[in-house]
Amino acid sequence: MKLYGYWRSSAAYRVRIALNLKQLEAELISVHLVKGGGQQHAADYAKLNPQELVPTLVTDDASGDEFVLTQSMAIIDYLDERYPQSSLLPDNLELKAQVRAMAYTIACDVHPLNNLKVLQYLANTLNVADDPKSQWYHHWIHQGFTAIERQLQQHAGQYCFGEVVTLADVVLVPQIYNAKRFNVDLSSYPLIEQVWQHCNQLEAFKQALPENQADAVIS
């Protein structure tokens, strides 16, 4: 199993956490998103991932044929179904839907507005200066985190949904990491901070941290 990613990619970070929680081994192959205009745009990588994004999972399917999958949420769903140990979703149908809803709030509404290609477009194509670009980033984080904090008031224990790690934690923690990196004030989100602290006491989350990746030294 191979995972193409980049140490600072929150989407790749999600998949690393999921792999670690399931105790699955994968060769981590760095695709530098900045160096040389971005290695994700190289022709050989574009054959694997037509969107020219990370992550990309390459593994063998049940018949032994090579299987290539893109999109972090699809990769995590695939891993959760193929390797059901340490499931990332509860058994209860309604609670499972609630977990997915929280995870998708981050993956579909918050993260896409703040990922690298959007920030690069704002700066390089629209000539948005650093201060308004930062305001853009902070605005969408606050909007998303306000909603998440309200949901956590209904569901949180140590983690997003009680005392067991779920898909919601796997997706939320990388977004918190990015918010902290961009100096977003998180003081209004005590439950989000609580989830962050508890998750990062677990080895699966510690090992997945961006600064603990081999390609962090060549950034």
Side-chain angles (χ1 to χ4, degrees):
M1 189 182 300
K2 298 178 181 179
L3 180 68
Y4 291 80
Y6 178 60
W7 68 290
R8 272 185 169 162
S9 162
S10 56
Y13 188 177
R14 296 169 193 161
V15 179
R16 293 197 302 267
I17 295 170
L19 286 166
N20 292 344
L21 287 169
K22 292 180 172 295
Q23 298 184 319
L24 297 172
E25 295 289 335
E27 179 186 357
L28 303 180
I29 301 174
S30 179
V31 180
H32 203 295
L33 299 184
V34 180
K35 184 181 294 183
Q39 294 176 350
Q40 71 273 27
H41 304 305
D44 56 346
Y45 184 73
K47 290 179 182 178
L48 282 178
N49 190 321
Q51 284 188 288
E52 300 177 18
L53 299 172
V54 295
T56 301
L57 181 75
V58 180
T59 187
D60 293 335
D61 65 16
S63 64
D65 294 330
E66 184 177 76
F67 176 64
V68 179
L69 185 61
T70 63
Q71 287 293 335
S72 64
M73 300 303 287
I75 292 171
I76 293 170
D77 282 344
Y78 169 77
L79 293 172
D80 208 32
E81 291 186 24
R82 183 168 179 180
Y83 305 98
Q85 68 270 24
S86 303
S87 177
L88 300 175
L89 292 167
D91 293 330
N92 177 272
L93 180 63
E94 286 73 25
L95 188 56
K96 183 183 295 185
Q98 292 283 7
V99 169
R100 282 186 169 133
M102 186 180 290
Y104 294 169
T105 296
I106 298 296
C108 301
D109 293 334
V110 180
H111 174 247
L113 291 165
N114 292 294
N115 67 10
L116 179 64
K117 68 177 183 178
V118 170
L119 298 179
Q120 287 179 332
Y121 183 78
L122 289 172
N124 300 334
T125 303
L126 299 183
N127 297 314
V128 175
D130 287 345
D131 283 348
K133 186 177 71 171
S134 178
Q135 291 172 22
W136 166 280
Y137 186 97
H138 286 222
H139 171 79
W140 297 114
I141 290 292
H142 283 304
Q143 187 181 86
F145 277 18
T146 296
I148 293 293
E149 187 75 11
R150 290 172 183 163
Q151 288 178 279
L152 291 178
Q153 289 170 5
Q154 302 175 46
H155 300 292
Q158 290 189 83
Y159 309 109
C160 289
F161 286 82
E163 309 308 314
V164 178
V165 171
T166 66
L167 176 66
D169 303 284
V170 170
V171 179
L172 178 59
V173 164
Q175 195 65 61
I176 301 170
Y177 181 96
N178 277 356
K180 289 177 176 288
R181 177 184 164 214
F182 285 92
N183 300 312
V184 178
D185 180 5
L186 300 182
S187 60
S188 297
Y189 314 112
L191 294 175
I192 287 176
E193 281 280 8
Q194 176 179 293
V195 169
W196 167 259
Q197 295 297 332
H198 284 294
C199 284
N200 282 316
Q201 291 175 19
L202 303 176
E203 281 302 314
F205 285 82
K206 289 180 184 177
Q207 292 172 12
L209 280 164
E211 56 266 29
N212 290 336
Q213 307 314 302
D215 57 338
V217 302
I218 60 170
S219 62

